[in-house]
């Protein structure tokens, strides 16, 4: 299995438009973060988790020529706003499978009604195949994927376990029974917005406590704000098995 971090930034990305914050002015490429997403590949399958406003740039950057579907954690714009850019895949492959909670599918149908409509559809508009995710295992290709239910303040979100790899973003609270689903995972990715506590995201201390409870072999922090600090400086403060993810980082499992 190969994991590619397509984006590791929070909702505004880094640099933030018009910001003079030192991290936004950094010349280190690891301090430049597109909106959060990962590409998960195994055998001949390729699935993207979330489809934010940087989707086109991300797919070009990694030269991804085929996707077998898009899996959604939740409906916020930084995770869904790139949907129109699935068109090149649709033109080559046909209807693109979507996997999401029933609520998320409903929100996408509202925002992108022209994609989901079946009546008087404009030529060139992509079409999708909708798959509703519940809090139970489901299949992607030949792999069983386990949803991890959590809350982003009061909004339900899904994380996902792909075999020995688990990806959780925009989490603030995760129940004990959901954490048990993560036991034995080798690589865990979890959000860590900044040092200061946040209403709807883990901060670094909460993310590290969560990692300690799950006990993966290695862990990576994502959904990072410029307020967290410079990549290289933050990395020096982390435990030896915890790493700041960065855009274009690839892992092999």
């Amino acid at each position: 299995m190969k994991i590619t971090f397509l984006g590791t930034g929070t909702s505004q990305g880094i640099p933030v438009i018009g910001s003079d914050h030192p991290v936004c002015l950094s010349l280190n490429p690891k301090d430049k973060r597109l909106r959060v997403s990962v590409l998960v590949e195994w055998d001949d399958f390729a699935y993207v988790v979330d489809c934010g406003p940087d989707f086109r740039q991300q797919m070009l950057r990694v030269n991804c020529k085929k996707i077998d579907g898009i899996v959604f954690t939740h409906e916020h714009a930084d995770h869904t706003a790139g949907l129109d850019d699935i068109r090149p895949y649709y033109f080559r492959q046909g209807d693109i499978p979507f996997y999401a909670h029933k609520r998320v599918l409903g929100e996408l149908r509202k925002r992108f009604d022209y994609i989901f409509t079946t009546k008087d559809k404009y030529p060139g508009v992509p079409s999708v195949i909708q798959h509703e995710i519940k809090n139970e295992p489901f299949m992607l290709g030949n792999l069983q994927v386990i949803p991890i239910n959590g809350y982003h303040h009061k909004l339900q979100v899904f994380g996902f376990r792909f075999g020995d790899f688990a990806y959780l973003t925009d989490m603030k609270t995760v129940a004990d029974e959901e954490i048990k689903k993560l036991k034995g995972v080798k690589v865990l990715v979890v959000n860590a917005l900044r040092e200061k506590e946040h209403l709807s995201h883990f901060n670094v201390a909460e993310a590290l406590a969560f990692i300690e409870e799950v006990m993966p072999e290695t862990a990576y922090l994502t959904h990072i704000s410029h307020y967290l600090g410079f990549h290289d400086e933050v990395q020096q403060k982390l435990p030896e098995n915890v790493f700041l993810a960065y855009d274009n980082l690839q892992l092999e499992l």
Side-chain angles (χ1 to χ4, degrees), residues 6 48 55-64 67 89:
L6 301 173
V48 176
F55 178 76
R56 175 181 174 275
Q57 182 180 354
Q58 291 166 339
M59 295 294 98
L60 287 170
R61 191 165 64 175
V62 298
N63 193 28
C64 181
I67 58 172
Y89 295 108

Side-chain angles (χ1 to χ4, degrees), residues 33-213:
R33 303 180 185 276
L34 300 180
R35 266 60 74 94
V36 68
S37 177
V38 290
L39 173 64
V40 185
E41 299 173 275
W42 68 94
D43 297 338
D44 292 325
F45 299 101
Y47 287 87
V48 176
V49 181
D50 290 332
C51 183
D54 302 313
F55 178 76
R56 175 181 174 275
Q57 182 180 354
Q58 291 166 339
M59 295 294 98
L60 287 170
R61 191 165 64 175
V62 298
N63 193 28
C64 181
K65 296 182 178 179
K66 182 203 76 151
I67 58 172
D68 292 289
I70 301 174
V71 188
F72 292 94
T73 59
H74 64 298
E75 64 268 39
H76 283 170
D78 55 322
H79 298 257
T80 62
L83 284 192
D84 193 71
D85 286 324
I86 67 171
R87 285 184 295 157
Y89 295 108
Y90 167 71
F91 296 151
R92 288 196 298 270
Q93 302 172 208
D95 296 1
I96 304 298
F98 281 10
Y99 300 81
H101 188 283
K102 180 179 180 180
R103 181 199 74 247
V104 176
L105 290 173
E107 287 296 319
L108 296 180
R109 286 193 293 268
K110 282 190 223 172
R111 299 179 198 175
F112 299 92
D113 61 328
Y114 66 95
I115 291 177
F116 289 85
T117 188
T118 57
K119 184 178 180 182
D120 297 326
K121 196 162 188 172
Y122 186 81
V125 170
S127 295
V128 302
I129 304 168
Q130 302 176 60
H131 296 276
E132 180 184 334
I133 297 174
K134 299 181 180 179
N135 193 16
E136 54 193 38
F138 63 99
M139 296 300 295
L140 291 180
N142 60 2
L143 180 69
Q144 185 184 71
V145 177
I146 301 172
I148 311 298
N149 198 57
Y151 285 87
H152 181 36
H153 186 39
K154 297 180 180 180
L155 180 70
Q156 180 275 341
V157 297
F158 275 139
F160 301 100
R161 178 171 181 170
F162 301 80
D164 288 330
F165 170 75
Y167 180 80
L168 282 70
T169 185
D170 290 55
M171 293 286 184
K172 180 63 176 180
T173 54
V174 184
D176 290 342
E177 60 266 27
E178 299 298 312
I179 295 175
K180 289 177 183 176
K181 298 179 184 178
L182 295 167
K183 292 299 184 179
V185 74
K186 291 182 179 178
V187 178
L188 173 67
V189 178
V190 65
N191 56 290
L193 188 71
R194 62 191 190 191
E195 294 281 357
K196 185 179 177 182
E197 189 172 354
H198 189 271
L199 176 71
S200 59
H201 288 276
F202 284 157
N203 64 0
V204 173
E206 291 166 332
L208 293 178
F210 185 81
I211 292 165
E212 189 172 344
E213 186 167 5

